Amino acid sequence: MQGRGFESLVVYQLAERLADEIWKIVSGWDRLAAETVGRQMIRAADSIGANIAEGSGRGTYQDNRRFVKIARGSLFEVRHWLRRAFSRGLLTPEQVKLTKPLIAELGPRLNAYLNSIGKSSENQ
């Protein structure tokens, strides 16, 4: 990532897309759903990208790895809240179709990014 910011990371861009989709979905819900499930889901989704960004700015590989692990935990939390939203009839089939591939791609990308952190310093 030398010379490039976190914004250029595909994993970060995917996290942004997921967070934006979640925001669009929740903005159409009634007040009860938005203030309970929706608020938690938005916070968890926003946390994925925020932790990638924060980790990249911490200055050490260990800190960066720690924040990527937190981002991965936030992704799992989003999955939980999406399951709750689905079971409560809050998601349309189109919304499921939009979010499912993002979730499916983001998990492996977070793992790959985590595994790549520090590798370049070990080879120098």
Side-chain angles (χ1 to χ4, degrees), residues 23-79:
W23 180 271
K24 288 177 202 172
I25 290 168
V26 173
S27 67
W29 289 355
D30 69 32
R31 187 173 175 188
L32 175 63
E35 288 183 358
T36 55
V37 175
R39 184 172 295 194
Q40 294 282 63
M41 193 161 48
I42 288 169
R43 289 178 71 168
D46 284 345
S47 178
I48 299 167
N51 278 293
I52 293 168
E54 186 168 358
S56 73
R58 284 294 178 138
T60 68
Y61 293 116
Q62 295 83 0
D63 276 348
N64 196 359
R65 290 177 61 83
R66 184 169 63 88
F67 278 90
V68 173
K69 289 176 183 177
I70 294 167
R72 188 172 55 188
S74 293
L75 176 63
F76 277 69
E77 184 179 353
V78 169
R79 287 175 50 196

Side-chain angles (χ1 to χ4, degrees), residues 11-27 38 41-50 75 78 99 102-103 106:
V11 68
Y12 175 78
Q13 294 166 4
L14 277 169
E16 280 189 313
R17 283 181 43 210
L18 178 62
D20 291 345
E21 287 302 324
I22 298 289
W23 180 271
K24 288 177 202 172
I25 290 168
V26 173
S27 67
M41 193 161 48
I42 288 169
R43 289 178 71 168
D46 284 345
S47 178
I48 299 167
L75 176 63
V78 169
T99 56
L102 291 172
I103 298 276
L106 194 48

